[in-house]
Amino acid sequence: MRKSRIVTVFMLISIMFTSLLFANGQSEESTTADKLFTIGMSQCNLGEPWRVQMNADVKSEADKYDNIKVIYKDAQNDTLKQRSHVEEFVSAEVDLLIISPKEAQPLTGPVSAAMAAGIPVIVLDRAVIGDDYTQFIGADNVIIGKAAGEWVVETFGGKGAKVVELMGLQTSPPGQDRHNGFREAIKGSDVEVIFEADVKWLEPNARKEMESALSRFDDIDLVYGHNDPAAHGAYLAAKAAGREGDIQFIGIDALPHEGVAYVKDGILNATFQYPTGGNIAIQQALKILAGETVEKNITLGSRLFTTDNVDTGGVELK
Ligand code: FRU
């Protein structure tokens, strides 16, 4: 009697123990905590400091987590190469794709194909066409372009200004938006664009185009570069012609070691910050990988740095 009671108690304990173990095993299987996720990062080029910074921001955030591994591909400013990179990430069955596309239209199809293959996609900084992606992260380039236009109108205080506009690649949405926002803000004012060129975001192109502008026009008051490399290229051309003192230069990006440093050094009069969003992309990727629903669009803020406020950290753009 006594012996059988001991056996029963022993059996009960072992059943409880096994079921505990089983439950534990099951819950571990259903969490994602110990799964290693692979994220593909398709960067359109690493030839510009801003993109190097974007990848560094992705990396420093990703390094904080041991359940993600990021594989980087640099398309070297070649759209066809970037299309193949996306296709390679899809064939490799990455768990999530982050892409900063060179151009909108040609990368829209590959992004859709990734989505169709069940791979969530975060589009960073430059948009694709339509809304077949999981999330877009970037600052509002119409707002930044408008703020640049308003700054010029105010700075020249009704006296008017003759402007050279050195545009970012016009097949990429930030270039179109920075142009449209600026034009909207100067409409009806005395600010006049006397020369415009698509310098495709590149400093050497900007320098060349500015040389043409300088040879055609004796009177230039300001250069609006769609990014800081464009504004800097224009400054170098003006300096070589001995005319940099007569012209103001403004740009966009405001990296601490690039645009902001140019403002501190008196090369640029103003720069508007364009955050890379690299760190936020990783934070959002983790949410998506954990099965959470995320916002379709995350709009990043911006700051304005001028000669007057650069030492105190600039001002937030409203
Ligand atoms: C770098 C860059 C930046 C610019 C951004 C726009 O490739 O040209 O200077 O702000 O891309 O997408």
Side-chain angles (χ1 to χ4, degrees), residues 43-45 48-51 77 100-101 125-126 141 168 172 174-175 178 200-202 226-229 252-253 258 274:
Q43 180 58 275
C44 61
N45 81 75
E48 295 156 82
W50 188 86
R51 301 219 164 258
N77 227 10
S100 192
D125 135 65
R126 296 188 188 172
N141 286 293
S172 69
R178 290 176 194 186
K200 303 182 165 59
W201 305 115
L202 300 175
H226 280 199
N227 62 359
D228 292 332
I252 296 170
D253 279 348
E258 194 189 40
Y274 187 60

Side-chain angles (χ1 to χ4, degrees), residues 99-120:
I99 179 170
S100 192
K102 178 179 174 188
E103 294 171 288
Q105 201 276 334
L107 272 315
T108 298
V111 164
S112 286
M115 292 288 287
I119 299 171

Side-chain angles (χ1 to χ4, degrees), residues 127-287:
V128 289
I129 293 164
D131 60 3
D132 196 11
Y133 53 81
T134 310
Q135 184 177 61
F136 174 79
I137 304 172
D140 186 328
N141 286 293
V142 175
I143 289 182
I144 295 175
K146 242 193 219 165
E150 283 161 6
W151 187 88
V152 177
V153 173
E154 269 169 40
T155 301
F156 287 85
K159 286 195 299 305
K162 297 205 182 318
V163 171
V164 167
E165 181 180 0
L166 299 176
M167 301 184 291
L169 184 67
Q170 287 300 294
T171 46
S172 69
Q176 300 157 354
D177 293 349
R178 290 176 194 186
H179 171 74
N180 294 334
F182 186 82
R183 294 306 177 105
E184 200 183 316
I186 64 167
K187 208 189 278 160
S189 77
D190 290 331
V191 173
E192 183 198 352
V193 177
I194 54 168
F195 181 98
E196 66 165 42
D198 184 343
V199 301
K200 303 182 165 59
W201 305 115
L202 300 175
E203 176 158 340
N205 294 349
R207 189 170 175 162
K208 237 179 260 151
E209 291 293 348
M210 186 63 184
E211 281 164 7
S212 318
L214 288 161
S215 66
R216 278 179 53 193
F217 298 98
D218 290 334
D219 196 8
I220 298 171
D221 298 304
L222 178 132
V223 174
Y224 166 42
H226 280 199
N227 62 359
D228 292 332
H232 186 246
Y235 169 85
L236 293 179
K239 190 160 189 261
R243 288 173 61 182
E244 83 282 9
D246 306 331
I247 305 172
Q248 299 208 21
F249 299 87
I250 66 171
I252 296 170
D253 279 348
L255 289 178
H257 51 287
E258 194 189 40
V260 170
Y262 292 152
V263 174
K264 283 190 182 155
D265 294 345
I267 291 172
L268 298 190
N269 298 81
T271 180
F272 296 78
Q273 184 202 24
Y274 187 60
T276 72
N279 54 343
I280 295 172
I282 289 298
Q283 291 158 10
Q284 293 295 313
L286 286 163
K287 288 189 182 183

